Amino acid sequence: MKDTITRATAANAQIRAFVANTKNLVQTAYEKHKTSPVVTAALGRTLTAGAMMGVMQKGEKDLLTIKIDGDGPMESITVTADSKGCVKGFALNPRVDIPLKANGKLDVSGAIGNGMLTVIKDMGLKEPYTGQIPLQTGEIAEDFTYYFMVSEQVPSAVGLGVLVDRDYSVKQAGGFIVQLMPFAEDEVISKLEENLANISSVTKMLEEGMSNEDILHLLLEGLEPEIMQEHTPEFACNCGNGRIEKALISLGKTELGKMIEDKEPIEVHCDFCNTSYTFSVEELEKLYQSAKR
C-alpha cells in the first residue's frame, strides 16, 4: 500500500487535521541509513512530522527544515520537506544502541537527550521564518505539540509512532496533527479533548488495520469531519550527479584547480540519502572549464 497523508476539517473549519501513514518512507530511510531500532523510531517520527508539516505549506516551492539537536548519543536529526510531502533526513549517529525503557519500549528520549527543536520555513521571502523551542520530552510528538503552541501560537495535538519489527524493518509508521483555529468554540475544544483522551497510540491503530479516514473519524468524532485532500508522501532526495556537478562548479576555478593538482579522484557524500559520488581528475578538469572564476 502507498503512503498517504489525509487532510480534513471539522466543526465548520474550527479544526484542521492531518493523518499520515508513512511506513514505506520510514522503511526507505532505514534501508538507506542502516539505522538502529531507536534511531529508526526517532528519525521516522521526525520524517512523519516533516511530511505533514510540508503539506501545510501554501507555496509550491516552500521548503521546511527541521533540526533536533540533543546531548544524547544520537546528537542530531535533520529533516527537510516540501509542499508535496516529499521528505529526506538523517541522524548524525544512525547506529546508536541503548537499552529499552522499563516498559520495553524504545528509548527515543534517551537517545536524543536534552536540547532544542528548530523549524526553518523558506517561503521565498528575504529571510526564512525560524522557530525554536527547548525539547520538552525528547519523544518528538510532545515537542512538536509545544512548538506549535509557542512558536506558531496554534493549539495542537501531535501523535507520532514507528513500530520496528524483530528483523529491524519498519512494521508500522504514521502520525497525526490536529489543530484548533483561533475562533474555535469552547464546546468544540472540549469535545476534541475528550476524543483525544480516548484514542490509542498511532501504531496500535495502524496495527489494527485502521485507515487514515478511520483515524480521522475517531479524532473528530461528533465534530462533523470533512475529508478535504490526500497527498502521497515519499522519501526523496534531489542530490543527483548533475546537482553535485553544479555545486562543484560553484566552488570556482581556484578550488577546483587545487583538487586537480592533487591528481586524486574526489568523493562527495550526501548525508540525506547516504549516497556517494566520485569524480575522476578528468571529470574535474571538465568542470574546471565550466567554472567562471
Side-chain angles (χ1 to χ4, degrees):
M1 291 180 64
K2 67 178 182 179
D3 288 351
T4 53
I5 296 175
T6 307
R7 176 177 176 266
T9 62
N12 293 319
Q14 295 179 64
I15 296 171
R16 72 170 181 172
F18 301 81
V19 171
N21 187 323
T22 55
K23 175 183 175 181
N24 296 321
L25 74 84
V26 177
Q27 173 68 18
T28 300
Y30 157 69
E31 291 172 355
K32 287 186 176 293
H33 295 294
K34 306 295 189 293
T35 47
S36 65
V38 71
V39 178
T40 299
L43 179 58
R45 292 178 192 179
T46 312
L47 286 166
T48 300
M52 289 188 285
M53 293 170 70
V55 302
M56 290 180 185
Q57 300 177 109
K58 296 178 180 179
E60 190 174 325
K61 296 182 179 180
D62 290 356
L63 292 173
L64 176 88
T65 300
I66 296 167
K67 189 79 183 290
I68 297 175
D69 294 292
D71 60 7
M74 200 184 315
E75 292 192 42
S76 71
I77 294 172
T78 304
V79 164
T80 70
D82 65 19
S83 59
K84 299 178 183 66
C86 293
V87 291
K88 58 184 178 180
F90 65 96
L92 190 60
N93 293 316
R95 295 175 185 84
V96 168
D97 189 14
I98 61 175
L100 298 173
K101 291 182 178 180
N103 60 6
K105 294 185 180 295
L106 294 167
D107 190 3
V108 170
S109 61
I112 292 174
N114 298 311
M116 304 294 291
L117 166 64
T118 305
V119 176
I120 303 168
K121 295 182 179 181
D122 186 350
M123 298 173 281
L125 304 174
K126 286 185 178 180
E127 295 291 334
Y129 164 83
T130 301
Q132 189 176 65
I133 56 104
L135 293 172
Q136 299 301 292
T137 66
E139 290 290 340
I140 301 176
E142 294 90 339
D143 301 303
F144 276 108
T145 297
Y146 186 73
Y147 161 79
F148 281 119
M149 186 65 192
V150 173
S151 289
E152 300 193 7
Q153 289 80 54
V154 181
S156 306
V158 181
L160 301 166
V162 175
L163 183 61
V164 179
D165 214 339
R166 292 183 178 181
D167 63 358
Y168 293 179
S169 66
V170 178
K171 195 173 184 182
Q172 299 291 351
F176 64 79
I177 299 175
V178 183
Q179 299 187 314
L180 287 167
M181 297 299 100
F183 51 88
E185 299 167 354
D186 289 344
E187 55 266 32
V188 169
I189 298 171
S190 296
K191 179 58 180 172
L192 179 60
E193 289 175 343
E194 179 187 328
N195 291 349
L196 290 167
N198 291 327
I199 64 166
S200 55
S201 70
V202 173
T203 50
K204 185 175 181 181
M205 290 188 285
L206 292 172
E207 272 288 89
E208 291 171 354
M210 294 179 66
S211 67
N212 287 9
E213 291 194 14
D214 293 333
I215 295 172
L216 279 167
H217 282 292
L218 270 184
L219 290 166
L220 306 174
E221 184 181 353
L223 294 166
E224 300 179 7
E226 182 180 357
I227 306 299
M228 302 295 292
Q229 198 173 14
E230 188 172 277
H231 301 266
T232 304
E234 63 176 329
F235 188 104
C237 189
N238 59 348
C239 56
N241 209 70
R243 192 178 180 90
I244 301 298
E245 286 182 355
K246 289 180 181 178
L248 288 171
I249 290 171
S250 71
L251 294 175
K253 289 184 180 291
T254 301
E255 287 301 317
L256 284 170
K258 291 177 182 177
M259 297 176 190
I260 293 166
E261 286 174 8
D262 290 337
K263 296 182 180 180
E264 294 286 343
I266 67 160
E267 184 177 276
V268 180
H269 184 77
C270 175
D271 290 330
F272 283 102
C273 63
N274 201 27
T275 302
S276 293
Y277 300 86
T278 302
F279 292 85
S280 66
V281 175
E282 291 76 16
E283 288 171 320
L284 290 172
E285 288 173 343
K286 289 180 181 178
L287 297 178
Y288 179 88
Q289 298 302 321
S290 300
K292 294 182 179 179
R293 53 180 175 77

